[in-house]
């Protein structure tokens, strides 16, 4: 597979085997979150390997202070739009809080919904040993599961806020055990968030599946929240984010210019209006 610049090639959707091969051959997978049609279309066009319709949409789209209020229906709506825009990209549906904590049966039903209603390629869920039976059941149902350990935003309350994890040997050991449980339960890949690079490396040494990171140093690939790298999200910027643009400033410029133009009569101009067919304006006056 072409893991380089695919902008000029017809893109082929990656499979779990491609992703494993990329890891084994040392090619990094690059992905972002996407919650809407336009963003997903541009991401596919530029050659993004995967798209995550993350429950971070709670903050990035809905303005909640965390991910806990996000519902299964909200995730499905956004994932459907992303799938319509990016038919050839591997799409990850993010199981929101409450969609898998209440039992294996409900977790499987919700994972099935993601596949049937939104056409995902895999689902992601947070936790390690405590969700091992859920990962096992969904995998046994023939669906791909990506684990998520370290800083797990849905349990930010229990973790004392949105803060790095694994900074002591004890905490690091627990995260490594979580990663092993995720792998042993049948997950095909793992996302590690907000841990020191030594912990990420220990995880990579311990399990053979692709290990992706956000705020976890170098690994088999990186994911970033789209609005963070675009410089759109204003509330706060985590230490691990690199801003590649300042779209918030661009938005302000565009909105201000539009407001000025309308208020001073510069918009709409002649080029923006429809004209009646020849002679029809006169006929309108006669009546
Ligand atoms: O919901 C999300 O966007 C996530 C990120 C941490 C990647 O899970």
């Amino acid at each position: 597979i072409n893991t380089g610049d695919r902008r000029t090639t017809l893109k082929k959707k990656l499979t779990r085997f491609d992703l494993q091969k990329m890891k084994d051959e040392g090619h990094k997978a690059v992905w972002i979150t996407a919650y809407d049609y336009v963003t997903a279309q541009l991401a596919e066009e530029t050659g993004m390997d995967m798209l995550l319709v993350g429950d971070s949409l709670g903050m990035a789209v809905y303005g909640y202070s965390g991910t806990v209020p996000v519902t299964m229906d909200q995730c499905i709506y956004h994932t459907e739009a992303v799938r319509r825009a990016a038919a050839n990209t591997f799409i990850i549906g993010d199981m929101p809080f409450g969609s898998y904590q209440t039992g294996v049966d409900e977790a499987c039903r919700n994972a099935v919904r993601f596949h049937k209603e939104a056409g995902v390629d895999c689902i992601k869920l947070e936790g390690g040993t405590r969700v091992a039976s859920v990962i096992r059941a969904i995998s046994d149902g023939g669906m791909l599961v990506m684990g998520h350990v370290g800083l797990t935003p849905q349990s930010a309350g229990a973790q004392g806020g949105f803060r790095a994890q694994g900074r002591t040997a004890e905490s690091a050991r627990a995260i490594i055990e979580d990663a092993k449980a995720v792998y042993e339960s049948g997950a095909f890949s793992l996302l590690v968030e907000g841990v020191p690079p030594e912990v990420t490396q220990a995880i990579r040494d311990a399990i053979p599946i692709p290990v992706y990171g956000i705020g976890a140093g170098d690994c088999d690939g990186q994911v970033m929240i789209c609005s963070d790298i675009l410089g759109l999200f204003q509330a706060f910027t985590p230490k691990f984010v690199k801003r590649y643009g300042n779209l918030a400033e661009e938005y302000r410029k565009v909105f201000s210019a539009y407001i000025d133009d309308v208020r001073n009569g510069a918009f709409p101009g002649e080029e923006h209006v429809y004209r009646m067919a020849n002679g029809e304006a006169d006929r309108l006056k006669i009546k």
Side-chain angles (χ1 to χ4, degrees):
I1 55 169
N2 176 2
T3 54
D5 185 346
R6 290 201 297 268
R7 267 174 287 200
T8 53
T9 62
L10 187 62
K11 194 177 169 206
K12 165 192 171 290
K13 184 160 79 161
L14 298 174
T15 67
R16 66 175 300 186
F17 302 111
D18 296 324
L19 292 166
Q20 183 70 47
K21 188 161 181 258
M22 283 169 75
K23 176 218 165 68
D24 295 340
E25 295 179 351
H27 299 297
K28 311 237 184 248
V30 191
W31 40 303
I32 54 168
T33 61
Y35 319 108
D36 66 274
Y37 184 87
V38 172
T39 308
Q41 203 170 38
L42 292 169
E44 173 161 296
E45 197 182 298
T46 46
M48 208 63 75
D49 291 308
M50 296 191 274
L51 288 174
L52 166 68
V53 189
D55 63 353
S56 50
L57 66 84
M59 290 173 285
V61 178
Y62 289 92
Y64 305 148
S65 60
T67 57
V68 168
V70 175
T71 66
M72 196 57 209
D73 283 342
Q74 286 172 318
C75 288
I76 295 275
Y77 297 146
H78 287 272
T79 311
E80 269 184 275
V82 167
R83 170 50 82 208
R84 271 194 291 278
N88 299 320
T89 302
F90 190 96
I91 291 177
I92 304 152
D94 206 9
M95 299 278 278
F97 182 68
S99 68
Y100 60 98
Q101 284 85 353
T102 49
V104 163
D105 288 350
E106 189 167 8
C108 287
R109 260 195 300 278
N110 284 322
V112 166
R113 272 196 75 187
F114 256 129
H115 286 77
K116 285 175 102 73
E117 297 175 37
V120 300
D121 296 292
C122 84
I123 58 93
K124 174 172 86 59
L125 54 82
E126 297 180 7
T129 32
R130 69 187 157 85
V131 290
S133 58
V134 172
I135 295 177
R136 171 52 61 207
I138 297 175
S139 303
D140 285 351
M143 294 169 276
L144 292 177
V145 179
M146 177 185 286
H148 181 164
V149 301
L151 195 176
T152 46
Q154 290 173 15
S155 31
Q159 292 185 333
F162 292 95
R163 51 198 300 185
Q165 302 292 307
R167 299 181 83 178
T168 64
E170 267 165 17
S171 154
R173 256 184 238 115
I175 295 169
I176 296 161
E177 285 313 307
D178 275 340
K180 286 188 199 160
V182 165
Y183 163 62
E184 282 158 12
S185 308
F188 84 103
S189 66
L190 176 67
L191 175 64
V192 182
E193 177 170 358
V195 305
E198 297 88 338
V199 180
T200 309
Q201 191 52 51
I203 291 172
R204 293 179 75 201
D205 291 341
I207 62 175
I209 55 178
V211 176
Y212 304 117
I214 176 164
D218 183 37
C219 40
D220 300 317
Q222 296 290 328
V223 60
M224 283 270 110
I225 306 283
C226 186
S227 45
D228 284 341
I229 60 168
L230 291 171
L232 261 182
F233 188 69
Q234 300 291 291
F236 59 91
T237 307
K239 176 182 167 66
F240 54 76
V241 167
K242 179 169 174 185
R243 277 192 176 179
Y244 287 84
N246 188 353
L247 260 60
E249 202 37 49
E250 293 302 311
Y251 271 46
R252 284 189 199 102
K253 277 190 210 152
V254 169
F255 294 163
S256 301
Y258 169 60
I259 290 169
D260 288 349
D261 270 7
V262 173
R263 287 187 180 151
N264 66 30
F267 177 82
E270 178 57 27
E271 67 275 34
H272 304 118
V273 297
Y274 299 102
R275 288 287 166 209
M276 293 182 77
N278 259 351
E280 293 302 305
D282 292 338
R283 288 184 55 223
L284 181 68
K285 274 185 219 150
I286 289 161
K287 283 213 158 175

